[in-house]
Amino acid sequence: MSEQDNKTTLEMPTTYDPKSAEKKWYKTWMEKGYFRAGQHPEAEPFTIVIPPPNVTGMLHIGHALDFTLQDIIIRAKRMQGYDALWLPGADHAGIATQTKVEQKLREEGLTRYDLGREKFLEKVWEWKELYLDNIHNQWEKMGFSLDYSRERFTLDEGLSQAVREVFVKLYKKGLIYRGKRIINWDPAARTALSDIEVEYKEVNGNLYHLQYPLKDGSGFITVATTRPETMLGDTAVAVHPEDERYKQMIGKTLVLPIIGREIPIIADDYVDKDFGSGAVKITPAHDPNDFEMGQRHQLPQITVMDETGTMNAEAGKYQGLDRSDCRKQIVADLKEQGVLIRIEEHVHQVGHSERSGVVVEPYLSTQWFVEMKPLAAKAIEAQKAGNGVNFVPDRFERTYLHWIENVRDWCISRQLWWGHRIPAWYDEETGEIIVSAEDPTTLPEYAGRKLKQDEDVLDTWFSSGLWPFSTLGWPEQTEDLKRYYPTNVLVTGYDIIYFWVSRMIFTALEFTDEIPFKDVLMHGLVRDADGRKMSKSLGNGVDPLDVIDQYGTDAMRYMISTSSTPGQDLRFRWERVEQARNFANKIWNASRFALMNLEGVTAADIDITGDLGTADRWILHRLNETSRDITRLIDAYEFGETGRLLYNFIWDDLCDWYIEFAKLSLYGDNAEAKKKTQSVLAYVLDRTLRMIHPFMPFISEEIWQHLPHEGETITLAAWPVYDPAFEDKDAVAEMNLLIDVIRSVRNIRAEVNVPMSKKVELLVKPGDQAVLDIINRNAEYVRRFCNTSEFDAGLEFSVPDKAMTSVVSGAELYLPLAGLLDIAQEISRLEKELQHLNSEVERVEKKLSNQGFVAKAPAKVIEEEKAKQADYSDKRAKVIARIEELKG
């Protein structure tokens, strides 16, 4: 038992101070090592590896959502007795980080070339240390239960070894090759880009219609292009083989305007004969689709630009012009020669570099590639055989399969200095390529040879694709790898399913023969209140630390996690954070009340067996029911529904009803009843805090430490488990009736403006003896919460002429309010209620008369509808009778 057991509410402030609690408890959790995995080797392992944030800056609200969902899962599993590992780490982020450092250097009037590779990398490592410290600070502020003893970085030596091992093995299998292909090229950063580093923006451009003359002088073919400057690299014009307009021209020769190069007319099924003129210019070195077509038809590849986007010698007289200036000049020249026959305004999507902002150039370049089809085949086979990953929501499985079934070879080389340098060396004399996990210049078999390592580094996704197993020690067969791999769940945004999720799956299957995680929980983007994507340009981003500073960590965590539905975007609204803060305050205030009435009670004193009151039995039933449903919903990743149930149970059942009912025992003279209610209150509050803990870790720990409890921390307290012994349908029926009576009386008071402070006479006419017994057993509650001057219940009594009336399930209520009741107004109110009951009866009867519904619906559902029909019909009959009485 903890020494905290006998603390009283005097030590619990009137208001909750998030800042002091958060700082205190996170420090305690870290010092005590509560989040370190492996302390219970007998327990079943449960693993999450964090999607590593880039060391490029501060975490944004999207990170807060992603990581909070993971923390909820891992905290719940830790409390459920699992050996729970949440492994932290960060990504070196290649081009993203290098761009940031180069921008900083430019402010000092320097470039990376001024420093040289070694000195520049020192600067990037300094950047990494600074921003990783920032990330650690944010993780701490958000209360994440990470096992820092196992933290990894994608440029750690262990992970670098894994990267080299994978590269060498794939190269030896012939799945990594060096070749010329079209890639996304950033002319400003002078590097290849991955698809995810290209942002497509809608641009108002032009469509230029050009006439290419036939060599034999028999006519023209008209083509249209948005980029006339690339025509300098045209090596063919293509038409569809079944296009009647051009069948006779296939095989003929065109003369390329300006340049004068002779190019063929070819036929290819790729061409859409119904789009535009049905003829397209083919520029294999500057368009990915043209490249593929050029490969099929053995067309020359003519590159007309250099790495900076400047026209080269192949561009003839335009050499030295920037690509945009070249466009203007060539358009003028084409007009002058009569080749340009029409210019149309054309809105289209143009790729821009996410890092430098310049227009991306499809560029023919010698790069390293991974041949994807064989790797994808394993992943497709596993998924279709039912041995693959479980996507949540399952619709994302189709998205994943569509991409992986149509995958193209992956360009993995980047013209950067920051990253994993490609483990390939070139013999400067023979040209031989040596690929090795070790530096061959240190090996005796290569002594005396002039070897130079490839200057390029690997795409960031190459190393992050190994993350689930490289972080656990692979390629070494470590104890952590054996115990915690495969991992259990990956939580990530749907926007990187292609770029990261799929790569982790196929690399894991290739190198570990297992899927890397059982479940993939896909969440959406966090948008602003108007549904717009958050961005610097719009100035609508939200810093999670600003939210925490204003409302506290728990409010932010609860709002952002329970506002989300798997796979759907969510809108960030400050008023929702405020509502979450108010919810936290409600929990705090209810707990303070409880503690004021638990002074001297220890964990050993808590006894919830024996003879309990109706409200006590009911709240234990509701706690039991809620814990069962919360466990199921967390396991299904339905955090929005989890939040709704928790909110309803805490705010309505516990605070608004049970605590109010408990006051009668707590303030009464019956010592035994008081002792039982104290036990139930302490027990229920303890279990409630455990359920809310994964969502609101700080306030739950702060309150729990004041409660009578056993153990050091709520983070390791046992998760509430469903117990059939707490099922109590009789208590539920009794409480539901009492709540209906109390609510109905309060509603009547509100209708005629009778304040709760004014006592009223209440008459209850139950429908049968069983209901009468319930009312009589709980008469004290009715008197207290209806504030009655007189209260009477009986199967037979004269209904007063002037009374407000309400019908609840199993009873009729009358409030004689002589001088306060307008008979006509009461009849009008009852007639409105009758209309409502008529529509409900009609709706249920219509459903039950529908043979399709009756045939397909489960028997339980049909019985529930029949019960509703009987209830509504009974209420309707009573309302009709009362209307007739009043009119008489």
Side-chain angles (χ1 to χ4, degrees), residues 798-869:
S798 299
V799 176
D801 290 336
K802 291 187 177 183
M804 293 292 284
T805 310
S806 183
V807 179
V808 298
S809 296
E812 298 169 59
L813 312 180
Y814 301 97
L815 274 74
L817 296 171
L820 294 177
L821 175 63
D822 184 317
I823 298 289
Q825 184 180 355
E826 173 63 356
I827 291 172
S828 176
R829 187 186 70 79
L830 286 171
E831 285 175 341
K832 287 179 183 176
E833 187 173 345
L834 180 60
Q835 286 178 356
H836 168 70
L837 291 169
N838 282 336
S839 65
E840 290 297 327
V841 170
E842 183 182 352
R843 182 185 62 78
V844 176
E845 287 178 346
K846 188 175 180 181
K847 186 179 279 191
L848 290 172
S849 64
N850 183 336
Q851 291 306 310
F853 169 76
V854 174
K856 293 178 182 177
K860 182 182 177 184
V861 173
I862 294 172
E863 287 306 313
E864 286 173 354
E865 291 300 317
K866 286 181 178 178
K868 287 180 187 177
Q869 181 187 33

Side-chain angles (χ1 to χ4, degrees), residues 179-190:
K180 267 191 153 186
R181 294 188 72 85
I182 291 281
I183 46 88
N184 299 311
W185 184 262
D186 182 331
R190 300 188 198 181

Side-chain angles (χ1 to χ4, degrees), residues 5 99 148 210 232 352 358 485 532 557 572 637 677 704 864:
D5 281 345
T99 300
Y148 286 104
L210 312 177
L232 304 172
H352 291 70
V358 303
Y485 183 82
R532 299 175 302 173
R557 287 173 58 117
F572 182 93
Y637 312 118
T677 296
W704 192 81
E864 286 173 354

Side-chain angles (χ1 to χ4, degrees), residues 675-844:
K675 188 175 179 181
K676 285 296 182 185
T677 296
Q678 285 178 318
S679 288
V680 171
L681 183 58
Y683 179 87
V684 171
L685 188 53
D686 172 276
R687 268 57 183 182
T688 301
L689 290 169
R690 297 185 197 202
M691 288 192 293
I692 202 73
H693 174 72
F695 296 84
M696 294 180 160
F698 292 113
I699 195 171
S700 55
E701 180 78 277
E702 180 71 17
I703 297 169
W704 192 81
Q705 292 291 345
H706 287 80
L707 279 177
H709 65 268
E710 293 180 337
E712 292 183 15
T713 173
I714 195 172
T715 64
L716 301 180
W719 184 257
V721 177
Y722 173 79
D723 184 349
F726 286 123
E727 283 292 315
D728 197 329
K729 291 181 180 178
D730 291 340
V732 172
E734 289 194 22
M735 274 298 288
N736 286 346
L737 176 61
L738 294 173
I739 289 170
D740 278 352
V741 168
I742 295 164
R743 278 182 175 153
S744 294
V745 171
R746 289 174 176 176
N747 289 340
I748 290 172
R749 283 174 169 274
E751 284 185 40
V752 292
N753 294 317
V754 176
M756 280 302 299
S757 58
K758 185 177 178 66
K759 290 187 178 293
V760 295
E761 183 182 352
L762 173 62
L763 305 176
V764 179
K765 185 179 181 182
D768 56 37
Q769 185 62 44
V771 174
L772 178 60
D773 291 343
I774 293 171
I775 296 293
N776 287 334
R777 267 200 309 275
N778 297 281
E780 189 179 1
Y781 292 127
V782 177
R783 291 191 184 94
R784 166 69 179 79
F785 295 108
C786 295
N787 193 19
T788 60
S789 55
E790 292 183 42
F791 167 56
D792 190 17
L795 297 176
E796 298 292 339
F797 60 73
S798 299
V799 176
D801 290 336
K802 291 187 177 183
M804 293 292 284
T805 310
S806 183
V807 179
V808 298
S809 296
E812 298 169 59
L813 312 180
Y814 301 97
L815 274 74
L817 296 171
L820 294 177
L821 175 63
D822 184 317
I823 298 289
Q825 184 180 355
E826 173 63 356
I827 291 172
S828 176
R829 187 186 70 79
L830 286 171
E831 285 175 341
K832 287 179 183 176
E833 187 173 345
L834 180 60
Q835 286 178 356
H836 168 70
L837 291 169
N838 282 336
S839 65
E840 290 297 327
V841 170
E842 183 182 352
R843 182 185 62 78
V844 176

